């Protein structure tokens, strides 16, 4: 009998596939934190997290980093009820902290076409930080439109629309502890999306 932990439907009935279990995510987050610490040493840096998608990843990653850190968030337009990026992303809420002459680590959930990370990196660079590095949990290399790579990458993934661990479809599924792929019939604009 398959272990219930490996059965996507046991985690959520709308999942067709689990790409990363909760345990796999936690293991990778720990090793990623070690990579980040090896670059910054003991220095302070400022984390800029792209909300909402990167909330869980940021929260878990930060707890594995014992450097002095500051946290700020930027909100960028979301996909809404679509599973593909449409048009150009826009910043809805920008920084609150001053990042001039600070070391900045920009964190996002997933690097897809690259438009979001490009937009936000350009904004941050204009504010004259000492340094800017980028960290993403997931990288969908096949979909890149803007030539851009992240400094720290959790996992490379195939061109599939994923949910869970902060990532949503029409604002649902962010609370799943794993990262998975929705059943095809669940990737269409759902009735509850209008309510
Ligand atoms: P990009 O601007 O690189 O095309 O897209 C980055 C943003 O699109 C991410 O911050 C994320 O919000 C969203 N995104 C891209 N791919 C996926 C995906 O597979 N699932 C979900 N839920 N969001 C995605
Ligand atoms: Mg996002």
């Amino acid at each position: 009998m398959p272990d219930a932990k490996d059965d996507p439907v046991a985690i959520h009935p709308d999942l067709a596939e689990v790409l990363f279990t909760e345990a796999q995510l936690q293991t990778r987050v720990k090793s990623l934190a070690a990579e980040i610490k090896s670059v910054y040493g003991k220095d302070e840096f400022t984390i800029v997290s792209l909300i909402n998608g990167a909330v869980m990843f940021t929260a878990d990653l930060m707890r594995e980093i014992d450097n002095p850190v500051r946290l700020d968030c930027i909100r960028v337009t979301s996909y809404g009820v679509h599973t593909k990026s449409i048009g150009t992303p826009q910043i809805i809420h920008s920084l609150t902290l001053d990042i001039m002459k600070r070391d900045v680590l920009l964190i996002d959930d997933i690097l897809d076409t690259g438009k979001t990370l490009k937009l936000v990196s350009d904004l941050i660079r204009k504010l004259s930080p000492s340094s800017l590095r980028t960290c993403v949990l997931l990288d969908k290399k096949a979909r890149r439109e803007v030539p851009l790579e992240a400094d720290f990458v959790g996992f490379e993934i195939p061109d599939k629309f994923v949910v869970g661990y902060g990532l949503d479809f029409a604002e649902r599924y962010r609370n799943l502890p794993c990262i998975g792929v929705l059943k095809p019939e669940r990737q269409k604009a759902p009735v509850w999306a209008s309510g």
Side-chain angles (χ1 to χ4, degrees):
M1 219 174 95
D3 191 328
K5 290 203 299 282
D6 301 329
D7 177 9
V9 175
I11 296 173
H12 196 290
D14 295 351
L15 287 184
E17 190 187 341
V18 171
L19 287 188
F20 305 108
T21 63
E22 185 174 8
Q24 287 171 324
L25 290 171
Q26 295 310 325
T27 303
R28 184 63 186 117
V29 165
K30 280 192 170 67
S31 61
L32 207 46
E35 286 175 37
I36 291 168
K37 284 199 287 184
S38 75
V39 169
Y40 286 98
K42 292 190 182 330
D43 294 346
E44 178 179 287
F45 55 96
T46 301
I47 291 173
V48 174
S49 175
L50 298 190
I51 54 174
N52 292 330
V55 278
M56 290 208 193
F57 176 44
T58 305
D60 284 347
L61 190 68
M62 279 183 78
R63 279 178 289 188
E64 299 296 330
I65 292 172
D66 53 11
N67 296 48
V69 290
R70 305 191 307 159
L71 173 67
D72 206 348
C73 296
I74 291 181
R75 184 183 292 276
V76 177
T77 41
S78 85
Y79 279 17
V81 294
H82 303 275
T83 57
K84 289 268 149 69
S85 137
I86 35 155
T88 318
Q90 279 168 9
I91 291 166
I92 295 178
H93 191 280
S94 191
L95 290 170
T96 308
L97 296 179
D98 185 0
I99 55 160
M100 193 175 179
K101 296 194 181 141
R102 301 285 188 156
D103 293 310
V104 174
L105 179 65
L106 175 59
I107 300 184
D108 202 5
D109 49 4
I110 182 164
L111 179 52
D112 187 29
T113 64
K115 289 181 202 166
T116 303
L117 220 55
K118 171 85 169 72
L119 174 81
V120 180
S121 306
D122 286 351
L123 170 108
I124 291 176
R125 277 200 200 89
K126 283 193 194 128
L127 299 170
S128 311
S130 296
S131 67
L132 171 62
R133 293 186 179 89
T134 51
C135 172
V136 294
L137 177 65
L138 306 173
D139 185 358
K140 266 196 233 174
K141 273 203 188 324
R143 299 229 332 127
R144 202 77 87 252
E145 290 176 27
V146 180
L148 190 152
E149 297 305 328
D151 296 292
F152 306 98
V153 175
F155 302 99
E156 267 188 45
I157 62 163
D159 182 10
K160 292 180 175 181
F161 185 79
V162 293
V163 296
Y165 197 62
L167 290 118
D168 74 309
F169 172 55
E171 291 305 326
R172 300 306 203 280
Y173 309 109
R174 291 195 199 274
N175 55 335
L176 298 184
C178 64
I179 288 191
V181 180
L182 290 174
K183 289 175 177 166
E185 66 269 27
R186 292 292 172 194
Q187 295 193 26
K188 298 185 189 96
V191 280
W192 41 255
S194 57

